[in-house]
Amino acid sequence: GKSYSTMPLGLIVVRDEYFISVSLKKNRIIDVTNIPASPIKEPKKPKEDKAKKTYSIELDKDSQIPFLTTLHIKLGNAGIIDCGYKEFKQLFSCVKFDKKYKWLNSNGSLRYFIMQLDEKGIISYPTNQKWEIVSNFFISKNGLLFEGKQLKDSKTSASDKKLIDPIIDAAFDALK
């Protein structure tokens, strides 16, 4: 058959990588040409900073609000934390941020609080990074930095459990 030389009818962009040139021969496609797109390259993905994606929250979006609201109110009323809800919610955003929050109670109570959230499936951490991650978010009531090993080795007293258990129970009750 005869070949007709025509101007392309159009260009189609496919995934920002290729242009497809479409030409017709008597109402039929005769040429589909892959032409590399302009030299615009996909931006390089930044190397994943382990501290950026630190842990995951296992609550669906609808459950997070009542759970976190109750947890925030109860921890605040008990004098364990001193921050607004917006800041508290940031603790559960799963990314590292610059601000550290004061834990106004014992190291053992912080350890127990985190262990309970972990054991109850609310928070999950990468293997062997739990205490380093937690130390990135909290400072002691004296303004001193926590070290991961320090938190891991903290002893939990009966009074720590007595303080934290009703708070976590109330947060779970808010999900019912």
Side-chain angles (χ1 to χ4, degrees):
K2 293 182 182 178
S3 177
Y4 295 93
S5 175
T6 63
M7 294 294 291
L9 284 177
L11 296 174
I12 301 170
V13 179
V14 179
R15 294 188 188 148
D16 295 331
E17 295 175 19
Y18 293 96
F19 292 113
I20 298 177
S21 170
V22 180
S23 301
L24 293 180
K25 175 182 178 184
K26 292 190 180 182
N27 297 326
R28 289 189 319 217
I29 295 176
I30 59 168
D31 185 32
V32 175
T33 309
N34 285 338
I35 305 167
S38 62
I40 299 172
K41 294 182 180 175
E42 214 175 286
K44 289 184 181 178
K45 292 181 181 177
K47 290 183 181 178
E48 188 173 318
D49 180 0
K50 287 182 183 176
K52 291 287 182 196
K53 188 175 182 185
T54 55
Y55 57 93
S56 62
I57 301 297
E58 305 300 327
L59 290 171
D60 62 52
K61 295 284 183 195
D62 292 335
S63 299
Q64 282 185 22
I65 293 171
F67 185 86
L68 295 178
T69 301
T70 303
L71 204 56
H72 174 252
I73 291 168
K74 296 291 185 181
L75 288 169
N77 289 345
I80 297 172
I81 60 165
D82 183 20
C83 64
Y85 178 71
K86 186 176 180 179
E87 292 82 19
F88 180 75
K89 194 170 76 169
Q90 235 179 345
L91 290 169
F92 294 86
S93 66
C94 302
V95 294
K96 185 179 179 200
F97 50 95
D98 295 328
K99 183 173 172 98
K100 293 184 185 241
Y101 295 98
K102 278 189 181 180
W103 184 263
L104 302 173
N105 210 278
S106 70
N107 296 2
S109 67
L110 175 57
R111 180 185 188 283
Y112 186 71
F113 175 71
I114 297 300
M115 290 296 296
Q116 290 303 300
L117 293 178
D118 189 14
E119 287 174 13
K120 294 180 185 299
I122 299 299
I123 299 177
S124 59
Y125 298 90
T127 308
N128 299 323
Q129 293 182 17
K130 179 187 313 182
W131 303 113
E132 287 74 22
I133 291 168
V134 172
S135 68
N136 285 325
F137 291 95
F138 293 99
I139 55 176
S140 74
K141 59 186 167 192
N142 302 326
L144 301 174
L145 297 175
F146 285 117
E147 292 183 26
K149 184 170 176 21
Q150 173 191 17
L151 288 171
K152 182 180 177 185
D153 295 341
S154 292
K155 302 294 181 207
T156 302
S157 69
S159 63
D160 292 333
K161 291 179 182 181
K162 189 176 179 180
L163 179 67
I164 299 297
D165 282 340
I167 293 170
I168 291 180
D169 291 344
F172 276 103
D173 287 345
L175 297 177
K176 295 177 183 176

